[in-house]
Amino acid sequence: MQKPKTILVTGCAGFIGGNFCRQFRKKFPNTEIIGIDNLSTGRRSAIEPTITFYKGSILNATLLEKIFAEHKPEFVFHFAAIPGVGYSVEHPRKTAEVNIVGTAALLEAAQKHGAKRFIYSASSSVYGGVAKMPTKESENLPSPQSPYAAQKYASEILCCIASQISNLDTVCLRYFNVFGPGQYAGTAYAAVIPAWLETIFPAKISAKTERGNKKFLRGYIEGDGNQTRDFCFIENVVSANIIAMKYKKRLKGDVFNIACGERTSLNQTAKMIEKFTAHTGKKLNLEKRPARIGDIRHSYADISKAQKTLDYKPKVKFEEGLKRTVAWFESRKN
């Protein structure tokens, strides 16, 4: 394919969106990158400095119209969301407005202004507690067990319909437990790896900020720790998005698992972290807590469909990715 002239990245100040913009810029130095983020969970420091940034919500119809009319993005990478299973259980309406209505608003604008493809950041949570693993897209029908999972699945359906009724092509990438540098334990609903690493390498920030509050610098494990996850390093996710953009045929809202294709328990993860942080003299003292409502027991992806169709290959395996993540936490300045 020819190098894209302009792309739009939602959630460009977030963990995935920020990493994506930085790596995309290296591969496509002349492409105009437009970013939008309301900074509710994102960080200004994560914004790639060469992009054109708009501070605002994807629910702001006036702002979306301005962005699409002025910049005419060829490809839309939709990372913006309110994440977190637990948070969605407590705030189902608030999360639905962003995670479903926000997607619908972007699809509408993309169709109106002639975008070529809409790459949606879906989630493995849509599968719920699967009976057969590794999880194949064709063998495991969606069975959401939380509002967040249901919202992600609803947006997949919207993407599929958009491809059926318009010239906009769409594709849904179901991420499995993304982690890596730039992922902060910023709230009570942070992912497990940064939440644990934050206890060993606490950020040097003001106590007035949420992350500076000591109550968030805690280490705990929910359930017995034998639950497993298919942790996917951030570089693999970025690569999958770029591959999906470059794919020549129409994808028509199809879904693809994006993961490492490895299965690791939380107890094993804790041991690896302690191995990579042994030189600090600190250990993970994890408080035992009950299993979280809406959480799934096991997660393990079959990535053969993405490999065959998109030529996706996880470049960084879990242990290497974890080692890099530990190094980033140790060296970060804020």
Side-chain angles (χ1 to χ4, degrees):
M1 64 170 289
Q2 293 182 339
K3 296 179 180 179
K5 296 179 180 178
T6 308
I7 66 168
L8 172 63
V9 180
T10 72
C12 64
F15 162 52
I16 298 179
N19 273 284
F20 173 82
C21 288
R22 286 189 293 275
Q23 294 185 41
F24 189 94
R25 172 59 74 217
K26 293 178 181 179
K27 293 180 177 292
F28 302 95
N30 298 320
T31 297
E32 181 184 20
I33 303 176
I34 311 301
I36 180 173
D37 200 301
N38 66 359
L39 299 178
S40 61
T41 58
R43 302 164 60 88
R44 281 195 176 273
S45 60
I47 300 173
E48 208 285 329
T50 67
I51 74 172
T52 300
F53 174 62
Y54 289 88
K55 181 182 177 182
S57 170
I58 56 175
L59 296 174
N60 186 333
T62 302
L63 179 58
L64 289 188
E65 176 62 26
K66 171 182 170 61
I67 291 173
F68 276 88
E70 182 174 334
H71 299 283
K72 300 288 185 183
E74 296 176 83
F75 299 92
V76 178
F77 296 88
H78 182 24
F79 302 112
I82 298 181
V85 167
Y87 192 80
S88 74
V89 170
E90 296 177 5
H91 305 278
R93 187 181 72 175
K94 178 181 179 181
T95 51
E97 287 174 349
V98 173
N99 296 344
I100 300 177
V101 179
T103 301
L106 286 162
L107 286 167
E108 182 178 345
Q111 292 172 69
K112 178 181 177 181
H113 291 279
K116 294 179 179 178
R117 181 170 292 154
F118 188 98
I119 298 97
Y120 176 62
S121 291
S123 170
S124 61
S125 64
V126 304
Y127 290 117
V130 297
K132 187 174 182 179
M133 290 188 293
T135 304
K136 275 190 175 184
E137 298 91 341
S138 60
E139 294 179 355
N140 294 272
L141 295 177
S143 180
Q145 296 183 6
S146 69
Y148 174 74
Q151 292 154 15
K152 282 293 187 178
Y153 182 46
S155 286
E156 287 186 4
I157 297 172
L158 290 174
C159 288
C160 186
I161 292 172
S163 284
Q164 294 173 6
I165 65 176
S166 73
N167 291 325
L168 176 68
D169 193 33
T170 64
V171 60
C172 303
L173 306 179
R174 289 178 178 167
Y175 307 152
F176 281 68
N177 301 97
V178 188
F179 76 100
Q183 188 179 32
Y184 285 84
T187 72
Y189 308 98
V192 64
I193 290 175
W196 287 354
L197 288 175
E198 189 84 35
T199 67
I200 298 176
F201 305 109
K204 298 176 181 179
I205 56 177
S206 169
K208 295 180 180 179
T209 66
E210 185 181 43
R211 285 199 313 106
N213 192 321
K214 293 296 182 183
K215 73 177 182 178
F216 288 102
L217 300 183
R218 62 186 182 277
Y220 59 86
I221 189 165
E222 295 165 322
D224 59 12
N226 291 322
Q227 59 266 48
T228 57
R229 296 292 181 265
D230 192 335
F231 292 106
C232 187
F233 191 59
I234 182 62
E235 285 188 20
N236 299 327
V237 169
V238 171
S239 174
N241 274 269
I242 294 175
I243 291 170
M245 178 194 73
K246 295 169 68 176
Y247 189 74
K248 295 181 179 180
K249 299 179 182 179
R250 282 182 66 86
L251 289 162
K252 302 178 182 179
D254 205 356
V255 298
F256 297 91
N257 291 337
I258 302 300
C260 267
E262 300 178 14
R263 186 178 175 187
T264 310
S265 75
L266 297 191
N267 289 329
Q268 290 174 313
T269 301
K271 289 181 181 179
M272 287 187 193
I273 287 176
E274 290 193 334
K275 180 177 73 172
F276 294 137
T277 61
H279 64 283
T280 68
K282 298 180 181 179
K283 289 190 176 183
L284 288 173
N285 295 312
L286 302 178
E287 173 191 342
K288 292 286 186 178
R289 293 193 176 183
R292 183 171 52 178
I293 297 174
D295 209 4
I296 62 173
R297 179 68 175 167
H298 297 293
S299 175
Y300 178 29
D302 184 316
I303 57 175
S304 59
K305 181 180 176 182
Q307 289 174 320
K308 182 178 179 180
T309 303
L310 303 177
D311 197 26
Y312 163 74
K313 297 180 180 66
K315 298 178 180 180
V316 182
K317 295 296 184 180
F318 172 60
E319 188 166 358
E320 173 60 25
L322 184 60
K323 184 177 181 180
R324 294 189 196 180
T325 304
V326 169
W328 178 82
F329 264 88
E330 186 172 11
S331 64
R332 68 178 177 169
K333 297 180 180 179
N334 54 42

